[in-house]
């Protein structure tokens, strides 16, 4: 009998607790006459009760059950427990039987009576019995409710309804406090249901009731925790799956980790005939006879996602996760199962669901050395024993050894170790042996983990090591990132719906996570990449491209992290990525490209004005995306980007202005006159950045004293006013393709109070006498972008030059400029150090100097140039301004414009680079020509100080005071 078979597992750790439990049991034994059996087993029970309060509690709550076990052969005792489970009420009977089973298996395990196979087999047999009895109870309740009308010995309690055991449950490898993994399937037509009962509703209600009966906690505890998540696509499907839908899912969307899960699958309860037929139909999915390279690589990836080395600590017993951690049970299982998936399709001898049997078969087939197989088998038994002992302490579903020494002493005592240091050392060696063997598997394959740790996204729950890896990579919400990636792996998006797409994504995942980490803004970069990736209508080509061109992929991820404007373009129009593959994408930016492109896209429309607007917006989006990417990648300088953005604006105006004029003429008839569009501000100076608005003015000429439109008889002011309004709408109104620019017309004569279109004569008169200094300063950047008549365009340009070359009082100009600068500082003060526009020595100051110098010297033939840098350089070359002062201004302008280009891609308002991601700060440093960001602030401060001095010398104040 068992009382004489038990052997002490180790030292008595808590002698007081053990003796108290034994004394209570002696009193019960004396009363019921089984003292001799208890005394025979006392030496073995003492260490168990001293280390595991849960086991002591089981014995004390049911001493009669302990008495029966000690008097029986353990196999006979197990059969008795299985029989006791079949009693009424079933809820209570199952829970009491589960307690007795836990006590019996623990005694036989710790007392050296049963080995691992006997322990796991006993636990699994009881799970099978419990599941079958619970299903009988559910079927009875459904019949009583009138929803189920049949049942048979052949078809089970619910014909057409069955449960497939999965995981350790399916392999007869249940651990001590394991939940049970099973999936429920049904044949709708085979269910014997009452009229009007929907098969899907019935099957899901029965499945939920089955799970609830087993896992609900009552005064007597619970039977088993139930996990139904190994069913097809559990995040979006109900708990029971129709057979046909399940077969279709596995054949079209099934992943290799799901094939791995089915290695251990077996019929467990219900209609067992249909369960066997179901698994037989799935066999070609599980065991593929031929595998291409990509499929083999994807299977290998299941192993390669786990980092083969500890990232932040040595392999040790303290806090070790013996299931999922480095050197743990999972590594042995993956070692075995990945090779089974690759080899088992051609060799049926390798298909065992039991880990140790499969390991032996691999060794017999010569696929694993006998030494490696023996070493891993011994390690598997040792790790499972540690796992069981950790769970026996308090019946917790844990796989982790305690962090504290007192907790590990319990495990050590139940493992026969009296010395904690020796126990810890042996556990560390055990984990290291497994991890070393694991690292040998597919050692030459591409690494799919990260230097930060494991990246495992298989299965249905988040991997703890992976969550820690994601946290180390800087993600604020690792579970959300893991869940998103796992959903992509499940084929929830078009990019991963095909098998090839999922296999490519397996390889892309670690590169994606490394790339978004490198940006310094992983949350933002990942979110924007997700918007792009989920918007793809197909993903094989894009993912293959990213894998083949890692530098391009890194650049795309940087765009996601640093440039929301560009990221939104990719998200809305993933085809923009194709342009990046074109050889010309990173070629020098050329103005003629935009003009020919816009002419072509408009020519391809249906002739409607709205179609032209949409066509220009699409072309503009592609071209501005190209410029922005060149800025971020440092392929284009700030000056080149400024000209390119302005050229793009010019092309947009030149494409849409004729269309707007034609619209007016279709309404009002032809008009005997001409019009021109004048750009001012940053467009006029060709110094635009991403998101710059357009400062425009329209001029017109009426031919003849009685000029009027031929149909409506509109006067020139009406015709060209309507044209201007239509052009503004064409440039700024949002359509289905978005918007182009914000348009500002306030720099025209009379500002917002006057007519939107100005006659050339009125323009000339206004700037001859009424214009204020600030308007003349703005005019230095004016240039004609488009004219309906080239001769009129030339006349408008001449009028601008004539207005600028009128004599000016230099002192008055300087005084006005200083007053404007003071007023601006008062009404629109600088937002801080990184306000590149309004800080002293910033872009506004430098523009004031360049513009005022031109106003002062233009009458005497001084140079005129719309570009700030060109104007300053020309003044120095002409000897009209100190070369050192203009040089300081040019240096400050170029540095701040170099910074403004990438900053405008990153944020619409003033940014503080100190708060931006580290990677973006590197982009700024690179744009400024510096090796690192640390020196950028000092460089900017020094150049601004020099610019302020230059401002003071070139725009003198009456009293000599500085800005």
């Amino acid at each position: 009998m068992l009382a004489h078979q038990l052997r002490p597992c180790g030292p008595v750790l808590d002698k007081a607790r053990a003796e108290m439990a034994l004394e209570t049991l002696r009193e019960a034994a004396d009363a019921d006459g089984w003292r001799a059996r208890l005394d025979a087993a006392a030496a073995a029970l003492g260490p168990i009760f001293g280390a595991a309060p849960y086991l002591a509690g089981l014995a004390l709550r049911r001493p009669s059950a302990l008495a029966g076990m000690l008097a029986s052969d353990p196999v006979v005792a197990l059969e008795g427990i299985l029989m006791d489970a079949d009693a009424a009420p079933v809820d209570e009977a199952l829970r009491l039987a589960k307690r007795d089973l836990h006590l019996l298996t623990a005694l036989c395990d710790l007392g050296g009576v049963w080995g691992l196979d006997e322990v796991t087999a006993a636990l699994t047999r009881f799970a099978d019995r419990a599941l079958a009895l619970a299903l009988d109870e559910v079927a009875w309740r459904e019949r009583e409710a009138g929803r189920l009308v049949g049942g048979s010995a052949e078809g089970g309690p619910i014909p057409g309804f069955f449960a497939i055991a999965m995981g350790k449950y399916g392999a007869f490898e249940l651990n001590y406090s394991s939940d049970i993994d099973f999936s429920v399937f049904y044949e709708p037509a085979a269910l014997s249901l009452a009229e009007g009962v929907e098969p899907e509703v019935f099957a899901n209600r029965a499945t939920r009731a089955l799970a609830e009966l087993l896992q609900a906690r009552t005064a007597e505890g619970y039977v088993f925790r139930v996990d139904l998540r190994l069913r097809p696509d559990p995040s979006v499907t109900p708990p029971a799956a129709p057979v046909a839908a399940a077969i279709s899912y596995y054949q079209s969307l099934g992943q290799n980790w799901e094939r791995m899960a089915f290695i251990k699958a077996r019929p467990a309860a219900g209609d067992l005939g249909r369960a066997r037929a179901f698994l037989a139909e799935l066999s070609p999915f599980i065991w593929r006879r031929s595998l291409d390279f990509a499929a083999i690589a994807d299977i290998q990836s299941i192993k390669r996602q786990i980092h083969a080395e500890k990232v932040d600590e040595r392999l040790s017993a303290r806090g070790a996760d013996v299931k999922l951690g480095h050197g743990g049970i999972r590594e042995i299982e993956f070692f075995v199962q990945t090779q089974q998936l690759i080899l088992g399709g051609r060799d049926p001898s390798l298909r065992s669901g039991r880990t140790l049997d499969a390991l032996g078969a691999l060794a017999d087939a010569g696929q694993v050395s006998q030494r490696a197989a023996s070493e891993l088998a011994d390690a598997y038994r040792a790790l499972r024993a540690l796992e069981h002992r950790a769970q026996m302490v308090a019946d917790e579903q844990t796989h982790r050894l305690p962090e504290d020494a007192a907790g590990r002493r319990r495990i050590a005592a139940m493992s026969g170790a009296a010395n904690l240091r020796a126990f810890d050392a042996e556990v560390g060696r055990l984990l290291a042996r497994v991890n070393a063997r694991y690292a040998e598997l597919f050692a030459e394959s591409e690494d799919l983990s990260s230097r930060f740790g494991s990246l495992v996204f298989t299965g249905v729950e988040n991997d703890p090591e992976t969550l820690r890896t994601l946290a180390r990579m800087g993600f604020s919400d690792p579970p959300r990132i893991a869940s998103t990636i796992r959903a992509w792996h499940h084929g929830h998006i078009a990019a991963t719906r095909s098998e090839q797409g999922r296999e490519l994504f397996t390889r892309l995942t670690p590169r994606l996570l490394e790339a978004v980490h490198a940006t310094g803004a992983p949350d933002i970069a990942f979110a924007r990449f997700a918007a792009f990736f989920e918007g793809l209508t197909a993903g094989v080509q894009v993912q293959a491209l990213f894998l083949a061109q890692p530098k391009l992929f890194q650049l795309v991820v940087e765009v996601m992290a640093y440039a929301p404007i560009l990221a939104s373009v990719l998200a809305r129009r993933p085809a923009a990525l194709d342009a990046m593959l074109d050889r010309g994408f990173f070629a020098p930016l050329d103005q003629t490209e935009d003009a020919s492109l816009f002419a072509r896209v408009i020519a391809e429309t249906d002739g409607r004005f709205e179609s032209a607007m949409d066509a220009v917006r699409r072309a503009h989006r592609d071209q501005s995306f190209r410029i922005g990417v060149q800025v971020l990648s440092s392929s284009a300088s700030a000056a080149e980007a400024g000209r390119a953005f302005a050229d793009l604006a010019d092309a947009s105006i030149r494409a849409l202005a004729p269309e707007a004029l034609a619209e007016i003429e279709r309404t009002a008839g032809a008009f005997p006159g001409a019009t021109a569009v004048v750009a001012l501000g940053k467009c006029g100076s060709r110094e635009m950045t991403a998101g710059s608005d357009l400062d425009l003015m329209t001029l017109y000429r009426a031919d003849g004293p009685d000029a009027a439109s031929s149909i409506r008889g509109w006067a020139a002011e009406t015709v060209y006013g309507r044209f201007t309004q239509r052009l503004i709408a064409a440039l700024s109104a949002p359509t289905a393709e978005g918007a182009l620019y914000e348009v500002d017309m306030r720099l025209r004569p009379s500002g917002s109070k006057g007519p939107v279109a100005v006659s050339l004569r009125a323009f000339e008169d206004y700037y001859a006498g009424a214009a204020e200094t600030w308007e003349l300063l703005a005019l230095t950047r004016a240039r004609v972008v488009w004219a309906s008549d080239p001769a009129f365009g030339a006349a408008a340009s001449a009028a601008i030059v004539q207005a600028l070359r009128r004599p000016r009082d230099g002192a008055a100009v300087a005084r006005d400029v200083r007053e404007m600068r003071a007023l601006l500082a008062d009404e629109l003060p600088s937002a801080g150090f990184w306000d590149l526009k309004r800080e002293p020595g910033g872009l506004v100051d430098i523009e004031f100097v360049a513009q005022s110098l031109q106003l002062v010297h233009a009458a005497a033939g001084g140079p005129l140039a719309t570009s700030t840098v060109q104007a300053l350089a020309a003044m120095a070359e002409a000897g009209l301004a100190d070369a050192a002062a203009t040089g300081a201004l040019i240096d400050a302008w170029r540095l701040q414009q170099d910074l403004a280009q990438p900053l405008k891609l990153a944020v619409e308002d003033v940014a503080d680079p100190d708060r931006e991601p580290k990677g973006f700060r590197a982009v700024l440093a690179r744009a400024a020509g510096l090796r690192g960001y640390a020196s950028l602030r000092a460089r900017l401060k020094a150049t601004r100080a020099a610019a302020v001095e230059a401002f003071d010398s070139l725009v003198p104040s009456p009293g000599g005071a500085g800005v």
Side-chain angles (χ1 to χ4, degrees):
M1 62 181 177
L2 180 61
H4 295 292
Q5 297 179 48
L6 295 175
R7 297 290 179 268
C9 60
V12 180
L13 188 65
D14 189 335
K15 294 181 180 179
R17 181 193 298 273
E19 187 54 40
M20 184 182 300
L22 287 170
E23 185 58 34
T24 303
L25 289 171
R26 288 189 189 103
E27 294 175 2
D30 288 339
D32 293 336
W34 53 281
R35 175 66 179 266
R37 281 174 260 161
L38 180 63
D39 289 343
L45 295 175
I48 295 173
F49 295 160
Y54 171 66
L55 299 180
L58 289 179
L60 293 173
R61 291 184 70 177
R62 285 174 57 82
S64 60
L66 175 62
M69 293 174 197
L70 294 177
S72 304
D73 179 86
V75 175
V76 174
L78 175 61
E79 295 300 328
I81 291 171
L82 296 176
M83 291 179 62
D84 291 342
D86 191 5
V90 66
D91 304 49
E92 181 178 340
L94 285 173
R95 283 157 176 76
L96 293 176
K98 172 66 179 298
R99 286 187 193 170
D100 294 346
L101 175 80
H102 261 195
L103 184 58
L104 175 65
T105 52
L107 294 179
C108 291
D109 186 352
L110 298 177
V113 179
W114 284 348
L116 176 64
D117 286 347
E118 290 90 350
V119 170
T120 57
L123 293 165
T124 305
R125 285 188 64 197
F126 178 78
D128 278 354
R129 186 67 175 152
L131 183 59
L133 291 171
L135 183 56
D136 286 342
E137 176 70 11
V138 169
W140 179 83
R141 294 176 183 177
E142 290 297 311
R143 281 193 292 271
E144 286 293 298
R147 291 185 288 264
L148 180 65
V149 297
S152 67
E154 183 178 334
I158 306 176
F161 183 96
F162 56 88
I164 299 293
M166 309 283 283
K168 287 184 170 60
Y169 178 30
F172 271 80
E173 295 173 339
L174 277 183
N175 58 44
Y176 190 74
S177 292
S178 177
D179 53 10
I180 55 174
D181 296 291
F182 63 87
S183 297
V184 175
F185 303 93
Y186 65 97
E187 289 276 12
L191 299 175
S192 301
L193 304 179
E195 186 176 352
V197 177
E198 290 291 332
E200 180 180 1
V201 175
F202 172 87
N204 288 307
R205 180 174 52 244
T207 302
R208 293 187 183 98
L210 180 62
E212 180 65 15
L213 195 152
L214 291 170
Q215 65 187 2
R217 289 185 177 269
T218 71
E220 302 301 332
Y222 67 100
V223 187
F224 285 103
R225 289 173 292 265
V226 171
D227 193 339
L228 299 170
R229 291 176 299 169
L230 288 180
R231 69 184 185 273
D233 208 357
S235 64
V236 296
T237 58
V243 168
I247 294 292
S248 175
Y249 167 83
Y250 289 122
Q251 289 177 345
S252 60
L253 291 174
Q255 300 177 66
N256 282 311
W257 71 263
E258 291 174 300
R259 294 176 58 208
M260 181 182 290
F262 271 99
I263 290 176
K264 296 178 179 289
R266 63 178 176 85
D271 192 336
L272 298 181
R274 282 190 167 83
R276 285 188 287 270
F278 173 75
L279 289 179
E281 192 169 356
L282 274 188
S283 183
F285 161 71
I286 306 167
W287 305 110
R288 291 169 57 180
R289 290 190 58 80
S290 60
L291 295 167
D292 57 27
F293 173 80
I296 292 174
D298 192 59
I299 292 168
Q300 293 174 347
S301 75
I302 297 172
K303 175 265 173 186
R304 291 179 284 130
Q305 293 170 35
I306 302 177
H307 204 281
E309 297 176 4
K310 197 66 173 175
V311 176
D312 53 2
E313 57 189 54
R314 295 177 299 172
L315 296 178
S316 67
R318 181 181 177 185
D321 189 330
V322 298
K323 177 183 178 182
L324 300 178
H326 298 287
I329 296 165
R330 178 179 62 178
E331 291 188 354
I332 300 174
E333 292 175 334
F334 278 8
F335 186 101
V336 173
Q337 292 169 345
T338 50
Q339 293 181 89
Q340 285 183 283
L341 288 185
I342 293 171
L343 304 168
R346 296 186 301 276
D347 187 350
S349 71
L350 304 178
R351 297 181 182 179
S352 173
R354 292 179 56 76
T355 302
L356 293 179
D357 292 347
L359 188 56
L362 286 167
D364 292 342
Q367 302 295 337
V368 176
S369 71
Q370 291 290 344
R371 179 177 177 182
S374 176
E375 193 173 283
L376 288 174
D378 290 344
Y380 181 81
R381 295 187 185 95
L383 289 167
R384 292 301 304 273
L386 289 171
E387 179 183 48
H388 284 182
R389 280 146 183 76
Q391 294 172 348
M392 288 174 184
V393 173
D395 189 29
E396 294 177 341
Q397 191 185 15
T398 182
H399 311 284
R400 190 175 290 277
L401 299 183
E403 291 274 355
D404 61 293
R408 288 201 309 288
R409 284 194 182 92
R410 294 180 185 274
I411 313 302
M414 288 190 284
S415 303
N419 184 288
L420 180 60
R421 180 175 294 180
F423 171 79
D424 284 351
E426 178 52 36
V427 170
R429 287 191 292 270
L430 171 66
L431 298 174
R433 284 196 298 272
V434 172
N435 194 238
R437 288 295 182 187
Y438 181 76
E440 294 171 358
L441 183 64
F442 314 134
E444 301 303 317
S445 302
E446 177 186 7
D447 188 9
L448 296 182
S449 67
S450 162
R451 58 194 171 92
F452 293 95
S454 300
L455 290 172
V456 178
F457 300 101
T458 56
V460 294
E461 60 186 8
N462 289 329
D463 172 62
E465 284 292 328
T466 297
L467 296 183
R468 284 189 279 273
T469 298
L470 294 173
R472 283 189 287 266
M473 297 179 93
F475 291 101
S476 62
D477 188 358
R480 181 181 59 82
I481 301 298
S483 297
T484 299
I485 292 175
R486 193 164 53 254
W488 292 347
H489 272 296
H490 272 98
H492 287 182
I493 59 174
T496 57
R497 201 151 289 153
S498 69
E499 183 176 6
Q500 187 180 5
R502 293 191 296 276
E503 289 169 351
L504 288 170
F505 182 62
T506 298
R507 296 177 57 205
L508 185 65
T509 300
R511 302 187 189 191
L512 167 63
L513 294 172
E514 290 275 6
V516 298
H517 160 75
T519 67
D523 288 330
I524 294 173
F526 185 86
R528 291 176 183 158
F529 182 86
F532 157 77
F533 197 54
E534 292 173 356
L536 295 174
T537 56
V540 170
Q541 291 181 329
V542 170
Q543 293 184 86
L545 169 66
F546 286 160
L547 289 167
Q549 299 196 33
K551 289 185 178 180
L552 174 65
F553 181 47
Q554 181 67 50
L555 177 58
V556 168
V557 173
E558 287 182 359
V559 166
M560 304 292 182
Y562 307 145
I565 297 173
L566 305 184
S568 66
V569 171
L570 278 175
R572 290 182 57 197
R573 190 168 176 269
L577 185 66
D578 295 340
M580 298 178 72
L581 301 178
D582 192 289
R583 287 186 176 181
F585 187 83
F586 290 99
L589 301 165
D590 183 356
Q591 176 184 8
T592 59
E593 291 181 16
D594 295 337
S596 59
L597 171 64
F598 282 34
R600 185 174 71 252
V601 298
I602 287 182
E604 293 172 354
T605 65
D606 57 10
R608 294 186 305 117
F609 185 55
E610 292 76 11
S611 299
M613 290 169 60
D614 283 341
V616 169
R617 279 157 173 75
R618 287 190 293 270
H620 180 280
R621 182 173 55 213
D622 288 347
Q623 291 301 92
S624 60
F625 177 77
R626 177 188 173 199
I627 300 168
V629 171
Q630 287 208 18
V631 169
L632 279 185
S633 63
S634 299
S635 300
S637 68
E640 290 168 339
R643 288 192 295 272
F645 278 125
D647 290 342
L648 189 56
D650 288 358
S652 301
I653 294 168
R654 289 166 184 159
L656 290 173
E659 299 294 321
L661 186 58
E663 274 291 291
I664 298 303
E665 290 179 342
R666 276 195 290 270
T667 303
F671 187 85
T675 184
V677 179
V678 179
L680 302 100
K682 289 193 177 299
C683 181
S685 63
R686 302 182 74 205
E687 295 162 340
M688 295 180 73
T689 58
S692 289
D693 58 9
L694 292 183
D695 292 292
L696 299 181
M697 179 191 306
T698 57
L699 303 178
Y700 68 85
R701 178 199 70 208
D703 294 337
D706 300 319
S709 63
S710 59
I711 297 175
R712 293 183 177 270
W714 287 348
E717 181 177 327
T718 302
V719 169
Y720 294 117
R722 295 289 179 92
F723 157 73
T724 303
Q725 291 168 342
R726 186 56 60 95
L727 177 61
I728 293 171
L731 291 168
S732 62
T735 73
E737 297 294 340
L740 290 178
Y741 298 99
E742 292 289 332
V743 176
D744 190 341
M745 305 289 290
R746 290 174 297 177
L747 292 182
R748 70 186 187 272
S750 301
S752 59
K753 297 178 182 179
V756 291
V758 180
S759 72
L760 184 59
R761 171 89 40 103
F763 173 87
E764 292 170 334
D765 291 345
Y766 183 83
Y767 283 99
E772 297 184 27
T773 300
W774 69 267
E775 293 175 293
L776 293 165
L777 293 175
L779 199 64
T780 63
R781 298 202 284 186
R783 60 185 179 87
V784 175
V785 174
W786 173 85
S788 62
D789 172 26
F792 181 65
S797 296
I800 292 170
V801 172
Q802 182 182 4
L804 293 173
R805 290 204 180 277
R806 285 191 170 88
R808 312 288 173 199
D809 181 342
V813 170
R815 182 184 66 249
D816 289 347
V817 167
R818 285 187 168 275
E819 288 177 354
M820 283 186 284
R821 182 65 184 89
L823 181 64
L824 185 65
D826 183 54
E827 295 185 351
L828 293 171
S830 167
F833 180 81
W834 291 103
D835 189 336
L836 303 175
K837 183 177 180 180
R838 292 189 289 266
E839 260 302 273
L843 296 174
V844 168
D845 280 0
I846 302 168
E847 290 168 358
F848 274 152
V849 175
Q851 294 162 12
S852 62
L853 286 175
Q854 291 182 84
L855 278 188
V856 170
H857 297 290
L864 292 175
T866 57
S867 161
T868 303
V869 168
Q870 290 176 4
L872 290 171
M875 286 293 164
E877 185 176 351
L880 299 175
D882 179 71
T886 55
L889 292 171
I890 290 172
D891 287 346
W893 172 268
R894 284 177 172 161
L895 174 60
Q896 292 177 99
Q897 195 72 353
D898 286 340
L899 298 175
Q901 288 291 358
L903 279 171
K904 285 298 182 180
L905 289 170
V907 288
E908 294 182 359
D909 207 345
V910 176
D912 183 353
D914 292 337
R915 299 179 181 176
E916 294 297 315
K918 181 179 179 181
F920 183 67
R921 295 200 297 268
V923 170
L924 291 181
R926 190 168 64 232
L930 301 174
R931 298 186 63 179
Y933 175 76
S935 57
L936 180 57
R937 177 182 283 269
R939 168 85 178 277
L940 182 55
K941 184 177 180 180
T943 56
R944 278 179 175 165
V948 169
E949 289 185 16
F951 183 101
D952 285 342
S953 66
L954 296 175
V955 186
S957 63
V963 177

